[in-house]
Amino acid sequence: MQILAKFENGERVTVERYEQDKKVGTRRLYINDYIVSLMTELPISDIIQHIIVERNYDYKEYIKSLEDTEELSDFMVQTMQHADRFYLGKNKQYQLFLKYALEKVDLLQLHGEVVENLFVSLIDQVKGLPNEPIYVQLLDELLKRVITIDTKKEVIGRVFPILIKMASDVNSKQLREWFELAIPHIDPLWLIEALGRLKDAEEMKIAELEIPKNCVLAQVTTKRHIYVLEIPKSRFRVKFHNLAYEDVGHPRLACILHVQNKQVTKMKLVAVPDVGDISLETPIYHYPYSNVFDNGVVCWNGYKDEIINSGKDLATMPLIFLSGTNNTHLQSNVRELFEHYSGQDFPAEQLRPFGMTIKQIM
């Protein structure tokens, strides 16, 4: 048998079928219909790759045409199952396509098993590239949306054991690394809630904190760890340019440190009353000397070069700052203040109120 396709004026295709050199059938098709008929013979992964990589300008229109049908959910399940790992990891357009398509899927309208298939398909692909941020973003998007849908919470109950089992499997080192990478991006409150609903699930570590010395408050968010360190009222050796002053009185201080990926990303320094414990509601005062802006942020880039490997590293940060060189960039009379309070305590009544609390400045 032979199939002969004739293109006419770029509008129609005449398809003729021959058996033993004798024409036994003829069919006329529009070019688009002819192409679709050929594509049915292609693997779904090739079709997806063609749509996204070679014709990336029209994928939104294609998804829009499926938006109000069940075909979109089927298409997404197929897409997740056949996601090309190279393009998903390297091609930005491919990543945008998956995120866009997932946003268009109405999870409320899908059967639980379809949503579960989306999870399982994505999780299966995760094993290939556990450290690609796109996987974290896609799974995070699914988790956050499903956890808020009461009718779909049974899906979480079935999916989380899969995640936990895969993450705890001794033969799945890469997946455990991915799971640890994903956890900080997930809202801890609903993550704990979802894990708590799993009756037979093993206890699982969500975060591990090493509390630095003199830490009085700590906060964990989905983006950073925040620590509040107390520096008791004391006298420090300080420097103004090349001049050193011994035993300069300092009020009780609170240093707020934001930590991301083992680096301090923000550092603030304020004065606090020298009575009672420091709490979220403790009123704060301006640091009385130099190198701190009016908003409490320290004017010192040195902390950005330090790698935080332990609580001890973090605890030394405010002491390194206080022993550094001061100038008149932010306060013109800093030298006079050092001379005046050398050898004596800093009086609380000289502190300027911030009009805020520790909670508000964290």
Side-chain angles (χ1 to χ4, degrees):
M1 183 182 70
Q2 291 181 327
I3 301 293
L4 180 64
K6 297 179 180 179
F7 291 80
E8 301 175 4
N9 301 322
E11 295 180 359
R12 295 289 187 100
V13 179
T14 300
V15 181
E16 300 175 344
R17 185 162 62 94
Y18 291 82
E19 292 184 3
Q20 297 179 352
D21 296 329
K22 182 179 180 180
K23 184 166 68 174
V24 295
T26 302
R27 186 178 180 187
R28 299 190 73 209
L29 301 170
Y30 287 105
I31 289 180
N32 284 348
D33 293 334
Y34 175 69
I35 292 173
V36 169
S37 70
L38 294 178
M39 290 182 71
T40 58
E41 303 299 321
L42 292 174
I44 187 67
S45 56
D46 289 349
I47 297 174
I48 293 170
Q49 181 174 322
H50 174 77
I51 293 174
I52 307 310
V53 179
E54 298 180 26
R55 300 193 63 191
N56 54 52
Y57 57 86
D58 62 2
Y59 73 79
K60 289 187 178 181
E61 288 299 319
Y62 178 76
I63 292 173
K64 187 176 181 180
S65 70
L66 302 177
E67 196 167 344
D68 297 325
T69 70
E70 292 185 2
E71 293 180 16
L72 179 55
S73 61
D74 295 336
F75 177 76
M76 280 305 301
V77 172
Q78 289 288 322
T79 299
M80 291 299 186
Q81 289 174 346
H82 298 90
D84 186 290
R85 289 170 179 170
F86 173 79
Y87 284 109
L88 186 53
K90 305 297 182 183
N91 188 282
K92 185 68 175 178
Q93 194 68 24
Y94 205 164
Q95 297 172 6
L96 292 174
F97 154 72
L98 286 179
K99 293 178 68 175
Y100 179 82
L102 192 58
E103 290 171 0
K104 294 299 179 181
V105 175
D106 186 352
L107 298 181
L108 272 172
Q109 302 302 318
L110 301 184
H111 294 298
E113 59 268 22
V114 176
V115 179
E116 189 171 343
N117 283 337
L118 279 175
F119 271 113
V120 174
S121 299
L122 179 58
I123 291 169
D124 185 60
Q125 290 298 319
V126 163
K127 286 186 283 189
L129 288 170
N131 291 321
E132 287 294 341
I134 183 63
Y135 282 122
V136 179
Q137 295 168 17
L138 291 173
L139 187 55
D140 184 35
E141 177 67 22
L142 269 176
L143 287 171
K144 284 191 295 188
R145 288 172 62 193
V146 172
I147 199 69
T148 60
I149 303 175
D150 289 335
T151 59
K152 294 292 184 290
K153 286 188 177 180
E154 81 283 355
V155 174
I156 291 293
R158 291 195 298 268
V159 170
F160 260 85
I162 299 173
L163 280 170
I164 294 170
K165 182 179 183 301
M166 294 174 73
S168 60
D169 187 345
V170 294
N171 296 319
S172 301
K173 181 177 181 294
Q174 284 186 317
L175 192 65
R176 291 201 308 276
E177 291 174 354
W178 175 86
F179 204 67
E180 292 173 2
L181 179 69
I183 287 294
H185 295 265
I186 298 173
D187 187 332
L189 293 180
W190 63 254
L191 176 60
I192 293 171
E193 177 192 348
L195 289 171
R197 289 199 301 271
L198 306 179
K199 296 180 180 178
D200 300 324
E202 296 180 8
E203 183 177 1
M204 187 175 181
K205 179 180 69 179
I206 294 177
E208 188 173 84
L209 301 178
E210 183 179 346
I211 305 301
K213 185 179 179 181
N214 296 326
C215 180
V216 292
L217 293 168
Q219 184 180 97
V220 179
T221 76
T222 55
K223 294 184 178 181
R224 63 183 67 87
H225 292 170
I226 303 174
Y227 302 90
V228 179
L229 307 187
E230 177 188 8
I231 300 99
K233 182 177 181 178
S234 186
R235 298 178 186 178
F236 294 101
R237 183 180 189 272
V238 297
K239 290 194 299 182
F240 177 78
H241 292 292
N242 293 325
L243 295 176
Y245 294 89
E246 304 294 337
D247 299 327
V248 174
H250 281 64
R252 186 189 192 191
L253 302 172
C255 182
I256 298 98
L257 298 162
H258 291 207
V259 180
Q260 288 177 270
N261 301 321
K262 292 189 175 183
Q263 283 191 303
V264 175
T265 58
K266 185 175 289 186
M267 182 174 176
K268 301 178 182 180
L269 191 66
V270 295
V272 293
D274 194 28
V275 291
D277 295 331
I278 296 177
S279 70
L280 291 172
E281 303 307 320
T282 296
I284 59 176
Y285 299 82
H286 289 275
Y287 177 68
Y289 298 121
S290 185
N291 291 352
V292 177
F293 292 100
D294 278 343
N295 61 1
V297 175
V298 300
C299 181
W300 176 49
N301 288 325
Y303 65 81
K304 296 181 180 179
D305 299 325
E306 300 292 331
I307 301 298
I308 305 300
N309 290 312
S310 67
K312 183 179 180 181
D313 293 336
L314 205 60
T316 60
M317 297 299 291
L319 300 179
I320 294 174
F321 169 74
L322 290 171
S323 63
T325 301
N326 290 265
N327 51 51
T328 57
H329 293 172
L330 297 179
Q331 188 157 314
S332 60
N333 65 336
V334 63
R335 179 178 178 181
E336 290 82 355
L337 289 174
F338 283 165
E339 291 177 349
H340 181 77
Y341 291 112
S342 182
Q344 60 176 303
D345 294 338
F346 191 94
E349 59 270 17
Q350 294 298 318
L351 292 172
R352 289 188 298 125
F354 218 108
M356 295 172 62
T357 63
I358 288 288
K359 181 179 180 178
Q360 291 171 311
I361 201 172
M362 285 178 68

